[in-house]
Amino acid sequence: MLSCDVERCDYEETAKKDTAPKKDEPQGKSGFEKIFGFRKEDLTSWNSLVTLLNRPTDPASLGIFRCLFGLLMAIDVTQERGLSHLDYKYLDGAPVCRFPLFNFLQPLPLDWMYLVYVVMFLGAVGIMLGCLYRLSCLMFISTYWYIFFLDKTTWNNHSYLYGLIGFQLTLMDGNRYWSIDGLRRPSIKNAHVPLWNYTLLRIQIFIVYFIAGVKKLDADWVEGYSMSYLAHHWLFDPFKVILPVELVNLLVVHGGGLILDLSAGYLLFFDVTRSFGIFFVSYFHCMNSQLFSIGMFSYTMLATSPLFCYTDWPRRFFARFPEFLRAVLPLTSDPADIQPSTSCVYSEVQSTNTERQETPPVAKAGKLRLKHKLGAIFTVLYIVEQLFLPYSHFITQGYNNWTNGLYGYSWDMMVHSRSHQHVKITYKDGKTGEIGYLNPGVFTQSRRWKDHGDMLKQYATCLDQFLPRYNITDPEIYFDIWVSINERFQQRIFDPRVDVVKADWSPFRPNTWLMPLLVDLSPWRTKFQEIEGSLDNQTEIVFIADFPGLHLENFVSEDLGNTSIQVLQGTVNVEVVEEKKNYTLQPGEQIKVPAGAYHKVYTVSEEASCYMYIYVNTTEAALQENFTKLFEIQERVRNGTETEPLPPELQPLIAADNDDGAEVNATDPIVQLFLKRQRRMKEVKKRREAGILQRIDRFAVKKYYTIRRGFLMTAIAMRNLAVGLPPLDQLTREIEFANLKEPQADGSQEDRLKDEVGHGEL
């Protein structure tokens, strides 16, 4: 990681210019140096380590990465950072609950938030161009980390990584190659950079891969429970030709992901395996760009792979382009022509001559300055800190809610999948004792608060501030949230008996009102699969686990017919509220519960109870049956076997079959739903069967309108800051123009299409 230039090390390239070694120089490199790019002796003392980390290195690869990173971050500002929908995220004056890392952090007024994003965008562009490099880096990272800390609900590992790389680039000499600063200041153009610039970036990427692999050694991942739904995605269809979907899930999704993360850093490091490493990680990230909505992460990781190659690869690559393009392309000059830099430590030749005897020249380290030592200290401390943080959650214990702590710096990517079955928020008026219920998610646009105790505390505090506006005095807030993690039982994550407004929470102490994960019930997951496999397509099932002394209050919709509760473990007491009857159930026993009514399930055993709801969505089943009949009629009309004339309410089936996707009026609601479903499925099929050019066009058009809205809204905000707000009708027209979308690009329609097929093309 210190240097992957094995056969052609940067040190020797610069030595040709600075030391002019003689032909009779001592023996060549040792095997260790050929593999790792440095000698064992370079690690034997502090001075030798400082000299190694400040060894002069070709700036070409760093310059290209700087340019790519700046470009990707400029694009990211309009997308995952949220510039295109900033006005929806930061609503001026609206009662909105927010979740900053530190409670004193608050967003600025909306127009000023746009200015923050302008500064971040200009910083990213400055990094890309290498223009006013240090200032651009500071502009980018200061605004980036402010926005990052402002909203924990958007935190993820790759957003954290962007901030780390931006911070690293601020301290590096990234503007020494293919930069505007190089044109303005010839003294830095094509000048050496110290080796630690590459060392930091290489080790950072190695940690991302390797720690992510170590985290996947978790039993849930190894056994194939973390991301089992991915195996059904169309990207894995080639594997399903030779393997059943269960093995695709276990071997390809989970096994392949584990092996790749553990080995990617090593494959990229060594010369003999680097080509294989680049191929596999490129394939991996291209798949991820389709599997997940993760913005620029896949492309950023693709941009990091060349950092592991020889640092002069851009010179050799761009040297193959035609001569007339050389004026705008990066430099292709010989590495021996690189300028010296005060940031590096150069070797000096020391020869000892006597009257009758000469000894070969000896390379001696140059003078070590304070900046060289500070660079080495920073490198060592940063690496130690990055290795420590993923396992530092014994410090931030208040964040450990069935995960590995303060989510974002753990590199536990995709290790946990969650589903929520039941969320209930109960308030109690502290003055009158009145009890009521709140819509889950009221006063917030986020859903992530349901999984994290720190956010739940912030949410309860926010509700405590807003509810008095609605004549609810000194409210007590109780949360009953049921979560299944990695296909386990649905169980409570927080104690529903605790008033979270008054509950204690500290980042440095365990969350006392967090209910423990019932890991001892994990073996039941195999039984779940057997039970689900024995059911027909219309029967659904939900597995529940609850703690002694607690109860679940549930309402069965009238759409759900033949709903029953069957006990798997422990003892429960089922109370049918309207009938005022109680039934005690032991393992293996079951009872039907009435539809359209409330019931309560009490856990009365000393151990946790496990039971399952078995039900049929009768409304959905009847609808599917009607759809099947309509489809059969439509097929008979198509092939000419339908001899009887269709009644008027079914005539739209013929019109829809002869029409090219246009809206067809239907009086019968079932026929209307059937035709609407057919149009959606045709659209899904069309999207999936689209050629590569169509996909690129669709992608480009969508991104164009996203970026367009972001920049137009920014222009409006900058005008408002400069000259004030215009008349309301003018502002309305401007926003309507900014909201213009591409034809047939209805986001809600795209969401419905994804719901229709079970998983979407991301």
Side-chain angles (χ1 to χ4, degrees):
M1 228 64 65
L2 289 169
S3 173
C4 63
D5 301 347
V6 179
E7 297 176 355
R8 180 175 44 187
C9 140
D10 294 309
Y11 178 78
E12 290 186 351
E13 292 173 0
T14 56
K16 292 178 181 178
K17 176 179 177 181
D18 297 281
T19 65
K22 298 181 180 180
K23 294 182 180 179
D24 57 349
E25 193 168 350
Q27 71 272 13
K29 302 176 183 177
S30 64
F32 182 90
E33 188 175 3
K34 288 180 179 179
I35 295 176
F36 294 99
F38 60 93
R39 301 168 301 169
K40 294 180 181 179
E41 292 77 12
D42 292 329
L43 304 177
T44 55
S45 68
W46 171 247
N47 283 347
S48 61
L49 178 61
V50 173
T51 302
L52 171 64
L53 290 174
N54 288 276
R55 188 172 70 185
T57 314
D58 196 317
S61 183
L62 180 63
I64 296 299
F65 174 73
R66 178 216 77 229
C67 183
L68 292 175
F69 178 77
L71 172 64
L72 293 169
M73 291 303 99
I75 298 173
D76 181 77
V77 167
T78 64
Q79 297 184 61
E80 196 170 3
R81 291 321 110 202
L83 179 62
S84 62
H85 57 274
L86 201 62
D87 50 326
Y88 299 112
K89 186 174 183 179
Y90 299 105
L91 302 172
D92 281 345
V96 178
C97 296
R98 305 193 186 278
F99 305 90
L101 177 61
F102 306 106
N103 290 329
F104 64 83
L105 278 178
Q106 294 297 322
L108 302 173
L110 181 59
D111 288 341
W112 288 98
M113 286 302 299
Y114 273 105
L115 180 60
V116 170
Y117 274 71
V118 168
V119 173
M120 181 167 57
F121 177 79
L122 292 177
V125 172
I127 292 173
M128 177 184 70
L129 300 176
C131 179
L132 302 175
Y133 177 67
R134 304 287 182 199
L135 177 61
S136 295
C137 287
L138 289 173
M139 290 168 60
F140 175 75
I141 65 168
S142 59
T143 51
Y144 185 93
W145 283 104
Y146 166 66
I147 292 169
F148 184 82
F149 288 143
L150 200 58
D151 186 10
K152 287 184 290 188
T153 65
T154 62
W155 282 21
N156 50 46
N157 285 277
H158 63 262
S159 294
Y160 170 63
L161 178 64
Y162 299 161
L164 292 180
I165 293 177
F167 170 66
Q168 292 178 38
L169 289 176
T170 304
L171 304 177
M172 295 177 181
D173 297 328
N175 61 340
R176 299 311 194 243
Y177 184 79
W178 206 33
S179 67
I180 292 178
D181 285 350
L183 298 178
R184 294 173 50 250
R185 298 168 55 196
S187 61
I188 69 169
K189 182 180 180 180
N190 199 30
H192 285 125
V193 298
L195 179 60
W196 68 263
N197 286 195
Y198 287 99
T199 300
L200 269 186
L201 288 170
R202 289 167 178 166
I203 291 185
Q204 180 68 77
I205 302 306
F206 179 90
I207 287 174
V208 171
Y209 283 120
F210 186 73
I211 299 298
V214 172
K215 298 283 185 169
K216 287 181 175 63
L217 292 173
D218 179 81
D220 286 357
W221 184 276
V222 173
E223 294 173 10
Y225 291 109
S226 296
M227 294 284 126
S228 59
Y229 66 91
L230 287 183
H232 298 280
H233 197 280
W234 62 269
L235 278 172
F236 294 97
D237 287 349
F239 299 101
K240 284 180 270 189
V241 174
I242 57 176
L243 293 173
V245 67
E246 294 80 9
L247 287 182
V248 171
N249 169 56
L250 184 62
L251 300 180
V252 180
V253 176
H254 290 89
L258 171 63
I259 294 172
L260 181 73
D261 279 336
L262 287 175
S263 62
Y266 296 100
L267 292 175
L268 291 170
F269 177 73
F270 296 106
D271 281 0
V272 294
T273 58
R274 188 171 303 121
S275 58
F276 297 102
I278 291 177
F279 171 79
F280 284 118
V281 299
S282 299
Y283 182 74
F284 174 72
H285 292 303
C286 288
M287 287 188 69
N288 282 344
S289 69
Q290 296 299 305
L291 286 169
F292 308 108
S293 296
I294 50 177
M296 295 294 106
F297 178 59
S298 298
Y299 310 105
T300 303
M301 292 304 291
L302 288 173
T304 63
S305 295
L307 286 171
F308 291 84
C309 299
Y310 290 115
T311 54
D312 67 339
W313 71 263
R315 302 180 189 276
R316 292 179 279 116
F317 175 74
F318 291 108
R320 301 177 181 179
F321 283 72
E323 188 69 31
F324 68 90
L325 294 176
R326 300 288 176 83
V328 295
L329 291 176
L331 293 173
T332 58
S333 57
D334 190 275
D337 297 328
I338 303 176
Q339 291 194 88
S341 169
T342 57
S343 299
C344 304
V345 176
Y346 294 87
S347 59
E348 300 173 353
V349 174
Q350 181 182 25
S351 58
T352 56
N353 298 326
T354 60
E355 294 181 358
R356 299 181 180 269
Q357 183 179 5
E358 285 190 358
T359 59
V362 177
K364 181 181 178 182
K367 184 178 180 181
L368 300 181
R369 301 180 181 178
L370 178 62
K371 64 186 302 183
H372 303 143
K373 297 178 181 179
L374 290 177
I377 292 172
F378 171 73
T379 301
V380 173
L381 291 180
Y382 183 87
I383 293 171
V384 171
E385 175 260 351
Q386 282 297 299
L387 291 172
F388 170 74
L389 273 181
Y391 300 97
S392 65
H393 305 309
F394 62 92
I395 298 175
T396 55
Q397 298 178 67
Y399 295 98
N400 297 352
N401 296 339
W402 295 0
T403 64
N404 294 323
L406 185 58
Y407 186 74
Y409 61 73
S410 300
W411 311 122
D412 51 351
M413 293 175 280
M414 313 311 293
V415 176
H416 306 290
S417 63
R418 296 169 179 260
S419 64
H420 299 81
Q421 185 69 27
H422 181 74
V423 178
K424 183 173 73 173
I425 305 177
T426 306
Y427 71 83
K428 180 180 179 181
D429 191 304
K431 184 176 182 180
T432 65
E434 177 188 357
I435 294 177
Y437 303 95
L438 298 177
N439 215 0
V442 64
F443 300 125
T444 182
Q445 300 171 335
S446 171
R447 295 177 296 178
R448 204 164 174 182
W449 54 268
K450 294 181 291 188
D451 296 323
H452 300 274
D454 60 311
M455 295 187 201
L456 198 75
K457 177 64 177 179
Q458 288 176 309
Y459 189 38
T461 303
C462 178
L463 292 176
D464 179 54
Q465 296 171 354
F466 286 153
L467 289 181
R469 303 181 185 181
Y470 302 90
N471 299 321
I472 301 173
T473 308
D474 297 328
E476 301 174 6
I477 309 293
Y478 302 90
F479 295 90
D480 194 11
I481 301 174
W482 294 73
V483 184
S484 169
I485 184 170
N486 295 342
E487 301 186 19
R488 288 180 172 84
F489 281 100
Q490 291 279 343
Q491 69 152 93
R492 288 183 167 96
I493 185 171
F494 303 110
D495 192 332
R497 299 164 295 189
V498 173
D499 173 16
V500 181
V501 175
K502 299 181 178 63
D504 291 330
W505 181 87
S506 168
F508 307 113
R509 294 194 304 270
N511 189 352
T512 56
W513 35 275
L514 171 70
M515 306 299 283
L517 179 63
L518 296 171
V519 291
D520 55 317
L521 301 178
S522 298
W524 274 97
R525 290 180 291 192
T526 304
K527 186 66 174 177
F528 296 169
Q529 296 174 349
E530 296 176 4
I531 296 174
E532 290 173 336
S534 65
L535 303 175
D536 57 53
N537 293 332
Q538 295 180 348
T539 304
E540 299 184 40
I541 195 165
V542 177
F543 297 95
I544 304 290
D546 203 4
F547 295 90
L550 296 179
H551 72 275
L552 168 65
E553 183 179 12
N554 205 357
F555 178 82
V556 178
S557 170
E558 293 183 356
D559 293 333
L560 306 181
N562 197 26
T563 302
S564 63
I565 299 174
Q566 180 175 335
V567 178
L568 303 174
Q569 177 179 304
T571 305
V572 303
N573 186 287
V574 179
E575 176 189 355
V576 180
V577 177
E578 289 187 357
E579 298 178 2
K580 297 182 179 179
K581 293 183 178 180
N582 291 275
Y583 305 89
T584 301
L585 302 180
Q586 301 292 336
E589 297 179 344
Q590 67 177 24
I591 185 176
K592 288 187 178 181
V593 290
Y598 279 96
H599 65 270
K600 298 179 181 179
V601 184
Y602 296 85
T603 298
V604 295
S605 56
E606 295 183 358
E607 59 182 5
S609 66
C610 308
Y611 51 94
M612 58 182 178
Y613 280 91
I614 306 173
Y615 61 93
V616 175
N617 191 324
T618 52
T619 302
E620 179 68 20
L623 189 62
Q624 289 297 330
E625 184 178 352
N626 287 327
F627 282 178
T628 301
K629 292 179 180 178
L630 292 174
F631 181 76
E632 291 173 352
I633 293 173
Q634 196 176 56
E635 285 296 301
R636 290 200 299 269
V637 171
R638 286 174 180 171
N639 58 33
T641 58
E642 181 63 43
T643 57
E644 299 293 331
L646 296 182
E649 65 270 16
L650 298 183
Q651 289 293 329
L653 296 176
I654 302 175
D657 199 37
N658 296 329
D659 201 38
D660 295 332
E663 188 78 23
V664 177
N665 292 324
T667 57
D668 188 293
I670 302 299
V671 175
Q672 190 176 23
L673 286 173
F674 173 75
L675 296 177
K676 191 175 294 185
R677 179 180 182 273
Q678 278 198 318
R679 285 195 300 273
R680 292 174 189 168
M681 296 307 294
K682 285 181 180 179
E683 181 64 23
V684 170
K685 184 178 180 181
K686 181 181 177 181
R687 287 166 61 88
R688 288 190 174 178
E689 295 178 352
I692 184 65
L693 293 180
Q694 291 176 304
R695 290 175 180 266
I696 293 174
D697 177 70
R698 186 172 64 219
F699 175 83
V701 169
K702 181 179 179 181
K703 295 305 179 186
Y704 164 74
Y705 280 96
T706 299
I707 295 172
R708 174 185 180 274
R709 187 182 192 280
F711 280 109
L712 288 177
M713 293 298 294
T714 301
I716 294 171
M718 295 302 97
R719 189 273 318 277
N720 294 344
L721 289 176
V723 300
L725 286 170
L728 184 59
D729 58 340
Q730 177 185 339
L731 186 62
T732 302
R733 290 195 304 271
E734 292 172 347
I735 294 177
E736 288 178 351
F737 180 70
N739 287 337
L740 181 66
K741 294 182 179 181
E742 68 273 25
Q744 298 178 349
D746 184 3
S748 60
Q749 180 184 5
E750 291 181 3
D751 293 338
R752 290 195 300 268
L753 289 172
K754 293 178 182 180
D755 294 339
E756 188 73 39
V757 296
H759 60 273
E761 294 177 272
L762 303 178

